[in-house]
Structures are given as C-alpha cells and as structure tokens.
Amino acid sequence: MMGINKNASQVIAEIVSNKKVGAYHHMVFAVGELAKFAKPGNFVAIAVGGESSSMVLRRAFAIYRAFDRGTNGGLLEIVVAPHGAGSTWLTNQSVGFKVDLIAPLGTAFGIPTEPIRALLVGGGYGSAPLFGLSEVLKNRGCRVDMVLGASTAMKIYAPLDGKRSVSSLTITTEDGTTGITGKVTDVLPGIIETNQIDIIYSCGPMGMLEAINQIAAELGVVHQCAVEEAMACGIGVCMTCVLPIRGEDGEIRMVRSCIDGPVVDGSSVIWGSKRQIPEGTWGAN
Amino acid sequence: MFNFRTSLGQAEFENPIFTASGCAGSGKELAQFFDLTELGAVVTKSIMLKARSGRATPRMAETPSGMLNSIGLQGPGIDLFLEKDIPWLREQGARIVVSIAGESVEDYAILARKLRAVQGISALEVNISCPNVENRGQVFACQPATARAAIEAVRRNIGGDLPIIAKLTPDVTSIVEIAEEVVAAGADALALINTVLGMVIDINTMRPKLAGKTGGLSGPAIRPIAVRAIYQVHEALPNVKILGMGGVASGRDALELILAGASAVSVGTATFGNPTAVIKIKEELQNELIAHGFDSLREAVGYAHRKEVNL
Ligand SMILES: Cc1cc2nc3c(=O)[nH]c(=O)nc-3n(C[C@H](O)[C@H](O)[C@H](O)COP(=O)(O)OP(=O)(O)OC[C@H]3O[C@@H](n4cnc5c(N)ncnc54)[C@H](O)[C@@H]3O)c2cc1C
Ligand SMILES: Cc1cc2nc3c(=O)[nH]c(=O)nc-3n(C[C@H](O)[C@H](O)[C@H](O)COP(=O)(O)O)c2cc1C
Ligand code: FES
C-alpha cells in the first residue's frame, strides 16, 4: 500500500477549451507537470460550485487524453455529461475559469507486453478513456477493435481522430439513431469470435460492465473494466466507493474503487451485489 | 511568538488541528498530499475487535452543505491494525489518537487491554455512537447508563495515564447529561460531535437512497449543532477539555468551535472536498486568532462564554 496515488497532485487548473459535442462537453484543462503521469484509466477529481458552494464533494471524471508539453505545461482532457448540479456547473464554466483539480487518480488499464488482440467496449461517455488506451495498445503492436454503445446517437462519443487508432469501430444505439440497433452486448460475441479477441477493456455503466463480464467469462476472454461507484473523496479516505472483489487469496473484500480501481479485473468482481454484502465477505456478520 | 499548543487530558499537542475519525484513511492516503507531522494529531478510523466488511453500497449521498454516510465501521480489526497501521504512523513521526468502537461493554474492555501497552499513542478516542448488540442495538451514547458502562470498561482496563476522550452523539435529549456521566466514569476529555442521524429518499426509486437506509450527516450543515453542543457542555463542565468537530471547513469555522469551548478541532468531511483542508484550516486559524488579538490558542478556548462587562 506504500505510495498511494504517488503521482497525484492538486492544482488550480485553467479551462482552455470547453466545447459541446453531442450530449457531452469536451473540456481541456491546463494542469502543468502532472499531465505526464496520466495513464489511460486514471481519473481526475474536480471541486465544483465555486468558493462558497453547498456541494462539498469532488466530482470524478475519466481522463480522456493527456498531453505532456514539457515546460509549456501539460493538458488534460475530459468528456463531461451534464448529469446533476455539479457536472452541469462544470460544463457551464467558460474558458479562462480556474478549477481545483486533483489528478491522476486511481489504477490504469494494464498494458500487455505481447502484441495481442484487444477489444475496447465503451458505454456513453465511457468511451472517453478508451481512445488514449487504443493509442497505447496500437503502439505496442496490438490489434484494436472498438465497440461503442449508448441509448441514442447524441450519447455516442467517438471523435474522428480517436477513430483512426482502431482497426474497426462498431456502434450500437438502443433507439437505432445510428449504427446497429441494440446493445453492445448483442454484437460482442460475434466480434470476439471473428477477430479472435484475447482481452476486453471496458468502461461504462455498471450494468453494462456486468453483462460484458458474463460474455467474457463464457468465451474465456480476459476482461479489464473501469467501474463507476459513487465517490465522496476520490483519494481513499472515506470508504464510500467500495465494491466486493475476490482477492488473490480467495477472500472477498469491500475494496475502494478509487485507489484499487477504477480499473479492476472483471472476473474478480462479485457482480450484482448493490445494496447487499455478498455472503462470505471478509468481516461480514 | 504566538502559542498554538494545546492539551486534552494529560496529552499535549503542538497545534489544535486533528483529522476526524474515519475521515483520514490509514494516514497513508493523505501523506501523498502533506506531511502528517503538520497535524496536531492523526485520529484513526474507529477500530473494532474483529474485521468488519461495513455496510452495502450505496454508502453515501451528498446533501446541501454536507453528506450522509453509512460506512458501518469497515476495518481490519484491532490485531491487524496494531500490526500494520500503527507502526507506519509511528514511523512518520505523527501524533496518534486511536479511535475504538465496540458492540458490547466487553469489547471496549478488551480493546483497551490490547492498547494499554502500545507505544506511541497520545490518546484514546472512544466512539460510543455505535449499536450495542446486548441492548437491542441501542446506541451506547444515547443512554447515560450504557455510555457510562462503555467508558468505565475502558478506564478500568487502560491503566497508566493514556487520556480517554469520549466521543458523543448529538442525537440525545441532553448532551450535557451524557457528558457528565462519561466524565464521572473516567473520561478525561470529550469529542463533540459525531454525525447526526439522517435519511435521503431517492425520488426516482422512491426508496431510501442508502443501502443502510439511515446515515450520519456531516459537513457544514451540522456546524451549528456542533457549536451548540460544545457551548452547552463547556458551560456545564468548564474544566473538561473538548475536541470539537462538525462541519469545520475553514479557520473561521475552527475558531467558532474554539470560542464555544473546544481546545482542539478535528476536520472530517472537508478533507473529502480538499485533501489539504487540514493544512489550510490550521494556517487560517492561526491568522484568525492573531487577527482577533489572541497571543495563544488557550486564551480563545471558551471565550464566547465570558461575562458581559459594563464599561
Ligand atoms: C471513476 C469515475 C469516472 C467517471 N468518469 C466520468 C466521465 O468521464 N464523464 C462523465 O460525465 N462522468 C463521469 N463519471 C460520473 C460523474 O462523476 C458523475 O456524473 C458526477 O459525479 C455527478 O455529479 P452531479 O453533481 O452532476 O450529480 P449528482 O447526482 O447531483 O451528484 C451527487 C453526488 O453523487 C455523486 N455521484 C452521482 N453520480 C455519480 C456517478 N455516476 N459516479 C460517481 N459519483 C456519482 C457525485 O460525486 C456527488 O457527490 C465518473 C465517475 C467515476 C467514479
Ligand atoms: C465517511 C465518514 C466516516 C466516519 N467514520 C467515523 C468513525 O469511524 N468513527 C467516529 O468516531 N466517527 C466517524 N465519523 C464522524 C467524524 O469523525 C466526525 O465526527 C463527523 O463527520 C463531523 O465532522 P465533519 O463535519 O468535519 O465531518 C465519520 C464521518 C464520515 C463522514
Ligand atoms: S471515494 Fe473515498 S475512499 Fe474512494
């Protein structure tokens, strides 16, 4: 446990760009040095609402891309869905406004040493961290296929330059406004088989991750997913963001998704245990 | 030279800003952001006899100027805690206040015995705001008799002169009555206040939002309750030192609790919004005290109780 978040720092970061893209806002922050430590899967925690805000907790967002520009200072990009008061406040801030930001936080996607075949699956804004990941994988000689899904076309985040780093991109929407009508899980088995996928990386709502994990388990494919649990602190001190995970010793523990996640091994998660502690969990009584 | 030193029972501290129990992890998580020796003391999460999984999720809901939590005292249990967390904190040179919690009077007694010979602990904070399994899950701190029994059990078993700080809940008819009981039972100081019981209903699912249904409210929303509790207890027991907490997010807030009667201040929820909140609060508090003309922290403790003087 030594050196938790050892590359993280807290900075006052200026918004250098804020553009509406479909249902989301693509936002860029000048963060200085810390950009060089950001890895795909890491997230940022941003204070919202201004000085005398009644919103006392930070909001977590996956890092979409990071640019280390040496002495010119680095940039961090995120994709924000205006959801409640906090994320809406953030998307309403203009270029030049400064926010209090902590990054990079949490675990990153594990990168294979061999040039294997990877499938990246994103739900809604969950696609954001996958583009940076696909770049890294491609540079390692991996073949990268991508599947993005959402309820409707406006909620598919798939920028042009991001698409270039993947060998194939399949899009599904539940209302059929773009791509294949249905859910990502409808197309996964076919793609996994045709492209002989070795590993799945996923990010999106918990229900989607659970469904992907089931397919991965059935087809014997390794699955790394970035989970999304409600977080109060983002740095490991509050114990609110936990989920049950089976450790290497076989013991199930309530693990903090902010420091031992958000990227976890899908097969280690005890899925479907919202609102209950799974039987046999360490320390359950 | 401004004198920032303070004391709780027999324990002396360089400065009055502490973390709040359950809001600083094991200390390691915050050490990334500042040096733990900057703190008056690190108060550990409440540790129990055995490992605890804590409650199911969702465990939190943000509320106006605050949050509800129902962690359920997740932790490794006292033995692992003494083996891992305490040596690490000691190595950092941090001042340590260990918080303990029990499910029965006997638990408190055993916990105290396990801690009596441990080196490097400055004080014991006894969290008695937990359900007593031997008394239909009633919270110890809610009744004078059970509050007394838990503190007596610690007093009898702790030996030596490790100060006992009894942590009380504001969810009682008379916090002064409970305070008087635990002091009579051997508490050297008091920690005021624990979270306030609350509930949030999700209007989409139309059910309580937290898996544990109720949760503890913390943050600036409860500050006036903390100030009131500290003021009332300091008035009744002016010689008993108070570790104040509840919604402190700035030096100005800390000063308010000190004027009410707190000799030191713990910071909890503010750390979630800002990992370096404790450092900011410490600096702001010192500036506030100097700006108000105090030469030492001690002069300000309970200053709001001074008699009106007609000039
Ligand atoms: C690791 C991680 C990565 C994320 N990445 C993105 C991203 O790239 N883009 C994006 O738009 N959103 C992302 N989210 C979700 C985002 O954090 C929430 O939408 C946001 O916190 C909601 O805040 P609010 O004030 O708008 O909503 P409210 O519902 O009013 O928030 C109230 C409280 O609940 C918490 N909360 C509510 N929903 C969530 C949620 N889904 N996840 C975590 N906390 C929540 C908030 O932090 C806040 O404390 C991510 C969440 C996590 C944990
Ligand atoms: C997430 C969380 C966990 C807590 N855990 C404990 C605990 O283990 N023991 C305890 O005595 N108090 C616990 N508390 C209460 C705090 O120590 C403190 O009394 C309370 O939150 C009020 O202070 P604040 O408003 O600064 O947070 C916890 C509070 C929160 C928010
Ligand atoms: S969000 Fe606080 S411990 Fe993970």
Side-chain angles (χ1 to χ4, degrees), chain B residues 8 17 38 60 125 133 220 223 295-296 305:
Chain B
L8 294 169
I17 301 298
E38 294 252 354
M60 79 104 178
E125 189 178 271
V133 294
R223 196 169 62 236
D295 295 324
S296 71
H305 295 262

Side-chain angles (χ1 to χ4, degrees), chain A residues 106-177:
Chain A
T107 55
F109 288 109
I111 306 298
T113 45
E114 320 259 286
I116 58 173
R117 292 157 173 272
L119 176 60
L120 279 47
V121 190
Y125 56 75
S127 63
L130 300 180
F131 295 106
L133 174 63
S134 75
E135 293 268 332
V136 175
L137 290 172
K138 224 181 90 183
N139 291 339
R140 289 283 173 99
C142 296
R143 179 193 156 99
V144 182
D145 294 288
M146 188 182 271
V147 178
L148 301 181
S151 54
T152 184
M154 290 283 276
K155 293 189 174 172
I156 295 287
Y157 186 77
L160 264 182
D161 50 350
K163 288 183 206 166
R164 279 200 286 272
S165 64
V166 299
S167 300
S168 80
L169 172 64
T170 310
I171 288 176
T172 66
T173 53
E174 283 169 49
D175 65 1
T177 39

Side-chain angles (χ1 to χ4, degrees), chain A residues 230-242 256-259, chain B residues 272:
Chain A
M231 292 181 179
C233 75
I235 58 164
V237 294
C238 75
M239 306 302 286
T240 62
C241 64
V242 297
R256 285 166 288 184
S257 66
C258 65
I259 56 175
Chain B
F272 302 165

Side-chain angles (χ1 to χ4, degrees), chain B residues 140-151:
Chain B
F140 286 97
C142 285
Q143 281 155 12
T146 48
R148 168 188 273 271
I151 298 300

Side-chain angles (χ1 to χ4, degrees), chain A residues 209-225:
Chain A
L209 303 184
E210 181 175 0
I212 294 170
N213 194 66
Q214 196 165 346
I215 294 173
E218 277 161 17
L219 300 179
V221 182
V222 177
H223 177 212
Q224 285 191 20
C225 51

Side-chain angles (χ1 to χ4, degrees), chain A residues 1-14:
Chain A
M1 281 242 298
M2 268 308 286
I4 294 166
N5 285 322
K6 64 180 189 303
N7 291 325
S9 45
Q10 180 176 15
V11 294
I12 301 300
E14 185 174 327

